[in-house]
């Protein structure tokens, strides 16, 4: 299979229901780039719990794949008959954060386009984090040692790394007990110092200090349908004593993805964010300054037939320059 795929350009292989030996063998087959880490999708089921299996695929350089999902709750004519999918949001979110493909399984004419487009830009490029979403260590310890003070439920984290600035993502679902998440126990390979954290499901961000002394408290309110989603952001200091918190792109599961934002440059007077804008596309970039309201810079390339590949946002000027 590997040799056959190598004979053609842009042909890649995904392993499904692979055993451990197949996953390890992929290290010698460069055309294998991804592996399905979930069970078969069935509407309404808990097929999205890939926080632990994704670790294995990621460790050998494969992108984890969550399998397909519905974007609408009811699908008339489906072979699943009376089954419905109330977890459309959660499935869409985890598929995006997996760093694997986002594959919808809707019937023709039944796609929720608004939900689907939260995963990608206008060209279909998936706006992914820098690493796959995986379970926190405390979740694994809790499952092995019931008396350990970890989460009884699913607590996953990931982050985007843009020019060394780390923007964290926290997901909690099907929680049974109370659990306190800190930067130290949430990110094994990347600490998130001097951060604030805010809800990704609230229409109005209200950043709170996030540190080992100020943990994020997660509990039974975090269900599969009403999951808890949080984003972290560093506090950027300007010489004018002004503090800036980058919130990123509006209405995307990964509001600050290196697939969209190519770099962040901070000087004493300004913060410059490099952004890629597709032809006929508009990007809405949000941020907070001091204790003021949410500010938005609009990068409008909607009337152009060419991409803005070298455009940038100047927060000091509150303007987007398209080039």
């Amino acid at each position: 299979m590997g040799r056959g795929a190598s004979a053609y350009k842009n042909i890649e292989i995904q392993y499904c229901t692979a055993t451990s030996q197949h996953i390890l063998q992929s290290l010698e087959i460069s055309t294998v780039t991804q592996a399905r880490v979930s069970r078969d999708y069935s509407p309404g089921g808990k097929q999205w719990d890939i926080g632990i299996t994704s670790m294995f695929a990621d460790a050998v350089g494969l992108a984890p794949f969550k399998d397909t999902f519905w974007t609408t709750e009811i699908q008339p004519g489906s072979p699943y008959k009376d089954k419905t999918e109330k977890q459309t949001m959660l499935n869409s979110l985890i598929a995006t954060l997996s760093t694997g493909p986002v594959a919808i399984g809707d019937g023709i004419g039944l796609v929720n386009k608004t939900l689907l487009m939260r995963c990608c830009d206008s060209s279909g490029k998936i706006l992914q984090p820098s690493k796959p979403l995986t379970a926190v260590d405390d979740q694994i310890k809790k499952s092995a040692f019931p008396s350990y003070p970890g989460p009884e439920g699913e607590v996953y984290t990931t982050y985007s790394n843009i020019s060394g600035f780390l923007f964290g993502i926290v997901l909690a679902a099907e929680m049974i007990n109370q659990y306190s998440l800190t930067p130290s126990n949430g990110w094994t390979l990347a600490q998130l110092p001097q951060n604030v954290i805010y809800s990704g499901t609230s229409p109005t961000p209200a950043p709170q200090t996030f540190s080992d002394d100020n943990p994020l408290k997660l509990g039974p309110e975090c269900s599969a349908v009403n999951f808890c989603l949080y984003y972290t952001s560093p506090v950027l200091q300007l010489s004018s004593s002004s503090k800036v918190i980058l919130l990123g792109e509006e209405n995307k599961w990964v509001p600050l993805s290196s697939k969209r934002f190519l770099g962040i440059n901070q000087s004493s007077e300004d913060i410059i964010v490099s952004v890629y804008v597709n032809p006929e596309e508009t990007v809405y970039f949000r941020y907070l300054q001091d204790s003021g309201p949410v500010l938005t810079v609009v990068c409008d390339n909607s009337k152009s037939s060419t991409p803005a590949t070298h455009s940038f946002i100047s927060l000091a000027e509150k303007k987007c320059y398209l080039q």
Side-chain angles (χ1 to χ4, degrees):
M1 290 169 59
R3 286 192 296 269
S6 297
Y8 298 90
K9 293 183 178 180
N10 301 320
I11 298 294
E12 298 177 350
I13 294 174
Q14 178 189 107
Y15 283 169
C16 286
T17 58
T19 65
S20 299
Q21 63 182 349
H22 297 127
I23 297 296
L24 292 174
Q25 182 65 44
S26 72
L27 289 167
E28 297 183 348
I29 307 175
S30 60
T31 50
V32 180
T33 60
Q34 53 195 267
R36 200 184 82 185
V37 295
S38 70
R39 299 176 295 280
D40 290 342
Y41 175 71
S42 178
K46 188 180 178 180
Q47 172 269 350
W48 48 264
D49 55 341
I50 62 172
I52 294 177
T53 50
S54 293
M55 292 180 176
F56 190 11
D58 181 48
V60 296
L62 299 180
F65 174 51
K66 191 210 74 71
D67 204 12
T68 59
F69 63 96
W70 288 358
T71 63
T72 54
E73 180 179 343
I74 300 174
Q75 302 269 333
S78 163
Y80 290 102
K81 299 184 185 299
D82 296 330
K83 287 190 175 182
T84 61
E85 179 58 88
K86 296 184 180 297
Q87 304 168 44
T88 55
M89 298 277 285
L90 181 61
N91 276 278
S92 173
L93 170 63
I94 290 183
T96 304
L97 300 184
S98 72
T99 70
V102 174
I104 59 173
D106 300 291
I108 295 174
L110 298 175
V111 177
N112 181 338
K113 181 181 177 181
T114 300
L115 176 58
L116 176 61
M117 292 307 295
R118 295 194 68 164
C119 83
C120 56
D121 66 10
S122 64
S123 73
K125 179 189 290 183
I126 304 173
L127 301 176
Q128 303 168 325
S130 298
K131 71 177 293 295
L133 184 76
T134 54
V136 296
D137 288 352
D138 280 353
Q139 178 179 327
I140 301 172
K141 295 175 183 177
K142 179 68 174 179
S143 64
F145 307 102
S147 62
Y148 184 82
E152 191 172 352
E154 309 294 328
V155 179
Y156 303 162
T157 64
T158 184
Y159 61 88
S160 292
N161 186 337
I162 305 175
S163 301
F165 295 97
L166 301 181
F167 301 91
I169 304 175
V170 178
L171 168 66
E174 289 204 338
M175 288 290 291
I176 297 175
N177 65 343
Q178 292 287 338
Y179 172 67
S180 295
L181 179 77
T182 68
S184 295
N185 62 22
W187 286 265
T188 303
L189 300 179
Q191 295 300 309
L192 302 174
Q194 299 179 1
N195 273 248
V196 294
I197 194 164
Y198 58 94
S199 173
T201 57
S202 171
T204 305
Q208 304 292 326
T209 300
F210 181 52
S211 65
D212 288 349
D213 294 328
N214 297 277
L216 171 66
K217 297 185 183 300
L218 303 167
E221 71 278 4
C222 306
S223 66
V225 175
N226 298 308
F227 54 84
C228 295
L229 175 65
Y230 291 90
Y231 297 105
T232 78
S233 181
V235 179
L236 306 182
Q237 184 81 47
L238 299 179
S239 62
S240 60
S241 299
S242 180
K243 295 181 180 180
V244 175
I245 298 169
L246 303 183
L247 303 177
E249 189 172 2
E250 189 176 14
N251 296 324
K252 300 298 181 184
W253 289 128
V254 183
L256 283 147
S257 171
S258 60
K259 304 292 184 181
R260 168 77 81 187
F261 302 105
L262 309 181
I264 299 174
N265 184 276
Q266 179 186 8
S267 68
S268 60
E269 302 296 335
D270 197 3
I271 297 170
I272 302 295
V273 181
S274 299
V275 57
Y276 184 93
V277 187
N278 289 295
E280 302 177 356
E281 183 179 44
T282 302
V283 175
Y284 298 88
F285 184 87
R286 304 189 308 157
Y287 67 100
L288 293 170
Q289 190 161 358
D290 299 324
S291 57
V294 174
L295 302 173
T296 302
V297 176
V298 180
C299 295
D300 187 358
N301 200 35
S302 60
K303 297 181 181 179
S304 174
S305 60
T306 58
T309 57
H310 302 290
S311 57
F312 65 93
I313 297 167
S314 168
L315 297 192
E317 299 179 49
K318 298 180 174 59
K319 187 174 181 180
C320 179
Y321 294 87
L322 296 178
Q323 299 177 353

Coordinates of all heavy atoms in Angstrom, one line a residue, residues 179-241:
Y179 N -13.2 18.9 39.8 CA -11.8 18.8 39.5 C -11.2 20.2 39.3 O -11.8 21.0 38.6 CB -11.5 17.9 38.3 CG -10.1 17.9 37.8 CD1 -9.1 17.3 38.6 CD2 -9.8 18.4 36.6 CE1 -7.8 17.3 38.1 CE2 -8.5 18.4 36.1 CZ -7.5 17.8 36.9 OH -6.2 17.8 36.4
S180 N -10.0 20.4 39.8 CA -9.3 21.7 39.6 C -8.2 21.6 38.6 O -7.2 20.8 38.9 CB -8.9 22.3 41.0 OG -9.9 22.5 41.8
L181 N -8.2 22.2 37.5 CA -7.2 22.2 36.5 C -6.3 23.4 36.6 O -6.8 24.5 36.8 CB -7.8 22.2 35.1 CG -6.9 22.1 33.9 CD1 -6.3 20.7 33.8 CD2 -7.6 22.6 32.6
T182 N -5.0 23.2 36.6 CA -4.0 24.2 36.6 C -3.1 24.2 35.4 O -3.1 23.1 34.7 CB -3.1 24.1 37.9 OG1 -2.3 22.9 37.8 CG2 -3.9 24.1 39.1
P183 N -2.3 25.2 35.1 CA -1.4 25.1 34.0 C -0.4 24.0 34.1 O 0.0 23.3 33.1 CB -0.7 26.5 34.0 CG -1.7 27.4 34.6 CD -2.4 26.5 35.7
S184 N 0.0 23.6 35.3 CA 1.0 22.6 35.6 C 0.4 21.2 35.3 O 1.1 20.3 34.8 CB 1.5 22.7 37.0 OG 2.2 23.9 37.2
N185 N -0.8 20.9 35.7 CA -1.3 19.6 35.5 C -2.2 19.5 34.2 O -2.7 18.4 33.9 CB -2.2 19.1 36.7 CG -3.4 20.0 36.9 OD1 -3.9 20.7 36.1 ND2 -3.9 20.0 38.2
G186 N -2.3 20.5 33.5 CA -3.1 20.5 32.2 C -2.3 20.3 31.0 O -2.8 19.8 30.0
W187 N -1.0 20.7 31.0 CA -0.2 20.7 29.7 C 1.1 20.1 30.1 O 2.0 20.7 30.7 CB 0.0 22.1 29.2 CG -1.2 22.6 28.5 CD1 -1.6 22.6 27.2 CD2 -2.3 23.3 29.1 NE1 -2.8 23.2 27.0 CE2 -3.3 23.6 28.2 CE3 -2.6 23.6 30.5 CZ2 -4.5 24.2 28.4 CZ3 -3.8 24.3 30.7 CH2 -4.7 24.6 29.7
T188 N 1.3 18.8 29.6 CA 2.6 18.1 30.0 C 3.8 18.7 29.3 O 4.8 18.9 29.9 CB 2.4 16.6 29.5 OG1 1.3 16.1 30.2 CG2 3.7 15.8 29.9
L189 N 3.6 19.1 28.0 CA 4.8 19.5 27.2 C 4.9 21.0 27.1 O 5.9 21.5 26.6 CB 4.8 18.9 25.8 CG 4.8 17.4 25.8 CD1 4.7 16.8 24.4 CD2 6.1 16.8 26.5
A190 N 3.9 21.7 27.5 CA 3.9 23.2 27.4 C 3.2 23.9 28.5 O 2.0 23.7 28.7 CB 3.3 23.6 26.0
Q191 N 4.0 24.6 29.3 CA 3.4 25.3 30.4 C 2.8 26.6 29.8 O 3.2 27.2 28.8 CB 4.4 25.6 31.5 CG 4.9 24.4 32.2 CD 3.8 23.6 32.9 OE1 3.0 24.2 33.6 NE2 3.7 22.3 32.6
L192 N 1.8 27.2 30.5 CA 1.1 28.4 30.0 C 1.3 29.5 31.1 O 0.3 29.7 31.9 CB -0.3 28.1 29.7 CG -0.6 27.0 28.7 CD1 -2.1 26.7 28.6 CD2 0.0 27.4 27.3
P193 N 2.4 30.1 31.2 CA 2.6 31.1 32.3 C 1.9 32.4 32.0 O 1.6 32.8 30.9 CB 4.1 31.3 32.3 CG 4.5 31.1 30.8 CD 3.6 30.0 30.3
Q194 N 1.6 33.1 33.1 CA 1.0 34.5 33.1 C -0.2 34.5 32.1 O -0.2 35.3 31.2 CB 2.1 35.5 32.7 CG 3.3 35.5 33.6 CD 4.3 36.5 33.2 OE1 4.2 37.2 32.2 NE2 5.4 36.6 34.0
N195 N -1.1 33.6 32.4 CA -2.3 33.5 31.5 C -3.6 33.9 32.1 O -3.7 33.9 33.4 CB -2.4 32.1 31.0 CG -1.6 31.8 29.8 OD1 -2.1 31.6 28.7 ND2 -0.3 31.8 29.9
V196 N -4.5 34.2 31.3 CA -5.9 34.4 31.7 C -6.7 33.3 31.0 O -6.3 32.7 30.0 CB -6.5 35.7 31.4 CG1 -5.8 36.8 32.2 CG2 -6.4 36.0 29.9
I197 N -7.9 32.9 31.5 CA -8.7 31.9 30.9 C -10.1 32.5 30.9 O -10.6 33.2 31.7 CB -8.6 30.6 31.8 CG1 -9.2 29.4 31.0 CG2 -9.3 30.8 33.1 CD1 -8.9 28.1 31.5
Y198 N -10.8 32.1 29.8 CA -12.2 32.6 29.6 C -13.0 31.5 28.9 O -12.5 30.6 28.2 CB -12.2 33.9 28.8 CG -11.6 33.8 27.4 CD1 -12.4 33.5 26.3 CD2 -10.2 34.0 27.3 CE1 -11.8 33.5 25.1 CE2 -9.6 33.9 26.0 CZ -10.4 33.6 24.9 OH -9.9 33.5 23.7
S199 N -14.3 31.6 29.1 CA -15.2 30.6 28.5 C -15.3 30.8 27.0 O -15.5 31.9 26.5 CB -16.6 30.8 29.1 OG -17.6 29.9 28.5
G200 N -15.3 29.6 26.3 CA -15.5 29.6 24.9 C -16.9 29.4 24.4 O -17.2 29.4 23.2
T201 N -17.8 29.3 25.4 CA -19.2 29.1 25.1 C -20.1 30.3 25.5 O -21.3 30.4 25.2 CB -19.8 27.9 25.8 OG1 -19.6 28.0 27.2 CG2 -19.1 26.6 25.3
S202 N -19.4 31.3 26.1 CA -20.1 32.5 26.5 C -20.0 33.6 25.4 O -18.9 33.7 24.9 CB -19.6 33.0 27.8 OG -20.1 34.3 28.1
P203 N -21.0 34.3 25.1 CA -20.9 35.3 24.1 C -20.1 36.5 24.5 O -19.6 37.3 23.7 CB -22.4 35.8 23.9 CG -23.1 35.4 25.1 CD -22.4 34.2 25.6
T204 N -19.9 36.7 25.8 CA -19.0 37.8 26.3 C -17.9 37.2 27.1 O -18.1 36.7 28.2 CB -19.9 38.7 27.2 OG1 -21.0 39.1 26.5 CG2 -19.1 39.9 27.6
P205 N -16.6 37.3 26.6 CA -15.5 36.8 27.3 C -15.3 37.6 28.6 O -15.4 38.8 28.6 CB -14.3 37.0 26.3 CG -15.0 37.1 25.0 CD -16.3 37.8 25.2
A206 N -15.0 36.8 29.7 CA -14.7 37.5 31.0 C -13.4 36.8 31.5 O -13.5 35.9 32.3 CB -15.9 37.3 31.9
P207 N -12.3 37.2 31.0 CA -11.0 36.6 31.4 C -10.8 36.6 32.9 O -11.0 37.6 33.6 CB -9.9 37.4 30.7 CG -10.7 38.0 29.5 CD -12.0 38.3 30.1
Q208 N -10.3 35.5 33.5 CA -9.9 35.4 34.8 C -8.5 34.9 34.9 O -8.0 34.2 34.0 CB -10.8 34.4 35.6 CG -12.3 34.7 35.5 CD -12.7 35.9 36.3 OE1 -12.1 36.2 37.3 NE2 -13.6 36.7 35.8
T209 N -7.8 35.2 36.0 CA -6.4 34.8 36.1 C -6.4 33.2 36.2 O -7.2 32.6 36.8 CB -5.8 35.3 37.4 OG1 -5.8 36.8 37.4 CG2 -4.4 34.8 37.6
F210 N -5.4 32.7 35.4 CA -5.3 31.2 35.4 C -3.8 30.9 35.8 O -2.9 31.2 35.0 CB -5.6 30.7 34.0 CG -5.5 29.2 33.9 CD1 -6.2 28.4 34.7 CD2 -4.8 28.6 32.8 CE1 -6.1 27.0 34.6 CE2 -4.7 27.3 32.7 CZ -5.4 26.4 33.6
S211 N -3.7 30.3 37.0 CA -2.4 29.9 37.5 C -2.5 28.7 38.4 O -3.6 28.3 38.6 CB -1.7 31.1 38.2 OG -2.5 31.4 39.4
D212 N -1.4 28.3 38.9 CA -1.5 27.1 39.8 C -2.2 27.5 41.1 O -2.8 26.7 41.8 CB 0.0 26.6 40.2 CG 0.6 25.9 39.0 OD1 -0.1 25.6 38.0 OD2 1.8 25.6 39.0
D213 N -2.1 28.8 41.5 CA -2.9 29.3 42.6 C -4.3 29.7 42.3 O -5.1 29.9 43.2 CB -2.2 30.5 43.2 CG -0.8 30.2 43.8 OD1 -0.6 29.1 44.3 OD2 0.1 31.1 43.7
N214 N -4.6 29.8 41.0 CA -6.0 30.1 40.6 C -6.4 29.1 39.5 O -6.4 29.4 38.3 CB -6.0 31.5 40.0 CG -5.7 32.6 41.0 OD1 -6.5 33.0 41.8 ND2 -4.4 33.0 41.0
P215 N -6.8 27.9 40.0 CA -7.2 26.9 39.0 C -8.5 27.1 38.4 O -9.4 27.9 38.9 CB -7.1 25.6 39.9 CG -7.5 26.1 41.2 CD -6.9 27.5 41.4
L216 N -8.8 26.3 37.3 CA -10.1 26.3 36.7 C -10.9 25.1 37.3 O -10.4 24.0 37.3 CB -9.9 26.1 35.2 CG -11.2 25.8 34.4 CD1 -12.2 27.0 34.4 CD2 -10.9 25.4 33.0
K217 N -12.0 25.4 37.8 CA -12.9 24.4 38.5 C -13.9 23.8 37.5 O -14.7 24.6 36.9 CB -13.5 25.0 39.7 CG -12.5 25.4 40.8 CD -13.3 25.9 42.1 CE -12.3 26.4 43.1 NZ -11.3 25.4 43.5
L218 N -13.8 22.5 37.4 CA -14.7 21.8 36.4 C -15.5 20.8 37.2 O -15.0 20.1 38.1 CB -13.9 21.1 35.3 CG -12.9 22.0 34.5 CD1 -11.9 21.1 33.7 CD2 -13.7 22.9 33.6
G219 N -16.8 20.6 36.8 CA -17.6 19.7 37.6 C -18.7 19.1 36.7 O -18.7 19.2 35.5
P220 N -19.8 18.5 37.4 CA -20.9 17.9 36.6 C -21.6 18.8 35.7 O -22.4 18.2 34.9 CB -21.7 17.4 37.8 CG -20.8 17.2 39.0 CD -19.9 18.3 38.8
E221 N -21.5 20.1 35.8 CA -22.1 20.9 34.8 C -21.6 20.8 33.4 O -22.2 21.2 32.4 CB -22.0 22.4 35.3 CG -20.6 23.0 35.1 CD -19.7 22.6 36.3 OE1 -20.1 21.9 37.2 OE2 -18.5 23.2 36.3
C222 N -20.4 20.1 33.3 CA -19.8 19.9 32.0 C -20.3 18.5 31.5 O -19.8 17.5 31.8 CB -18.3 19.8 32.1 SG -17.6 21.3 32.9
S223 N -21.3 18.5 30.7 CA -21.9 17.3 30.1 C -21.5 17.2 28.6 O -20.7 18.0 28.1 CB -23.4 17.4 30.2 OG -24.0 18.4 29.4
A224 N -22.0 16.1 28.0 CA -21.6 15.9 26.6 C -22.3 16.9 25.7 O -21.8 17.4 24.7 CB -22.0 14.5 26.1
V225 N -23.6 17.3 26.0 CA -24.3 18.3 25.2 C -23.9 19.7 25.6 O -23.6 20.5 24.8 CB -25.8 18.1 25.4 CG1 -26.6 19.2 24.6 CG2 -26.2 16.7 24.9
N226 N -23.9 20.0 26.9 CA -23.5 21.3 27.4 C -22.0 21.2 28.0 O -21.8 21.3 29.2 CB -24.4 21.8 28.5 CG -25.8 22.0 28.0 OD1 -26.0 22.6 27.0 ND2 -26.8 21.3 28.6
F227 N -21.1 20.9 27.1 CA -19.7 20.7 27.5 C -19.1 22.1 27.9 O -19.6 23.1 27.6 CB -18.9 20.1 26.4 CG -19.0 20.9 25.0 CD1 -18.2 22.0 24.8 CD2 -19.9 20.5 24.1 CE1 -18.2 22.7 23.6 CE2 -20.0 21.2 22.9 CZ -19.2 22.3 22.6
C228 N -18.0 22.0 28.6 CA -17.3 23.2 29.1 C -16.1 23.4 28.2 O -15.2 22.5 28.0 CB -16.8 23.0 30.5 SG -18.2 22.9 31.7
L229 N -16.0 24.5 27.6 CA -14.9 24.9 26.7 C -14.3 26.2 27.1 O -15.0 27.2 27.3 CB -15.4 25.0 25.2 CG -14.4 25.5 24.2 CD1 -13.3 24.4 24.0 CD2 -15.1 25.7 22.9
Y230 N -13.0 26.1 27.3 CA -12.2 27.3 27.8 C -11.0 27.6 26.9 O -10.4 26.6 26.4 CB -11.8 27.2 29.2 CG -12.9 27.2 30.2 CD1 -13.6 26.0 30.6 CD2 -13.4 28.4 30.8 CE1 -14.6 26.1 31.5 CE2 -14.4 28.4 31.7 CZ -15.1 27.2 32.0 OH -16.1 27.3 32.9
Y231 N -10.7 28.9 26.8 CA -9.4 29.3 26.1 C -8.5 30.0 27.0 O -9.0 30.8 27.9 CB -9.8 30.1 24.9 CG -10.6 29.5 23.8 CD1 -12.0 29.7 23.7 CD2 -10.1 28.5 23.0 CE1 -12.8 29.1 22.7 CE2 -10.8 27.9 22.0 CZ -12.2 28.2 21.9 OH -13.0 27.5 20.9
T232 N -7.2 29.9 26.9 CA -6.3 30.7 27.6 C -5.5 31.6 26.7 O -5.3 31.2 25.5 CB -5.3 29.8 28.4 OG1 -4.3 29.3 27.6 CG2 -6.0 28.6 29.1
S233 N -5.1 32.7 27.2 CA -4.3 33.6 26.4 C -3.3 34.3 27.3 O -3.6 34.7 28.5 CB -5.2 34.6 25.8 OG -4.5 35.5 24.9
P234 N -2.1 34.5 26.8 CA -1.1 35.3 27.6 C -1.5 36.8 27.7 O -2.2 37.3 26.8 CB 0.2 35.2 26.9 CG -0.2 34.9 25.5 CD -1.5 34.1 25.6
V235 N -1.1 37.5 28.7 CA -1.4 38.9 28.9 C -0.2 39.6 28.3 O 0.9 39.5 28.9 CB -1.6 39.3 30.3 CG1 -1.9 40.8 30.4 CG2 -2.8 38.5 30.9
L236 N -0.4 40.4 27.2 CA 0.7 41.1 26.6 C 0.8 42.5 27.1 O -0.2 43.2 27.1 CB 0.5 41.1 25.1 CG 0.3 39.7 24.5 CD1 0.2 39.8 23.0 CD2 1.5 38.7 24.8
Q237 N 2.0 42.9 27.5 CA 2.2 44.3 28.1 C 2.8 45.2 27.1 O 3.8 44.9 26.5 CB 3.0 44.1 29.4 CG 3.2 45.4 30.1 CD 2.1 45.7 31.1 OE1 1.6 44.9 31.8 NE2 1.6 47.0 31.0
L238 N 2.2 46.4 27.0 CA 2.8 47.4 26.2 C 3.5 48.5 27.1 O 3.2 48.6 28.3 CB 1.8 48.1 25.3 CG 1.1 47.1 24.3 CD1 0.0 47.9 23.5 CD2 2.1 46.5 23.3
S239 N 4.3 49.3 26.5 CA 5.1 50.3 27.3 C 4.2 51.3 27.9 O 4.5 52.0 28.9 CB 6.1 51.0 26.4 OG 5.5 51.7 25.4
S240 N 3.0 51.5 27.4 CA 2.1 52.5 27.9 C 1.3 52.0 29.1 O 0.4 52.6 29.6 CB 1.0 52.9 26.8 OG 0.3 51.7 26.4
S241 N 1.8 50.8 29.6 CA 1.2 50.1 30.8 C -0.2 49.5 30.4 O -0.9 49.0 31.2 CB 0.9 51.1 32.0 OG 2.2 51.5 32.4

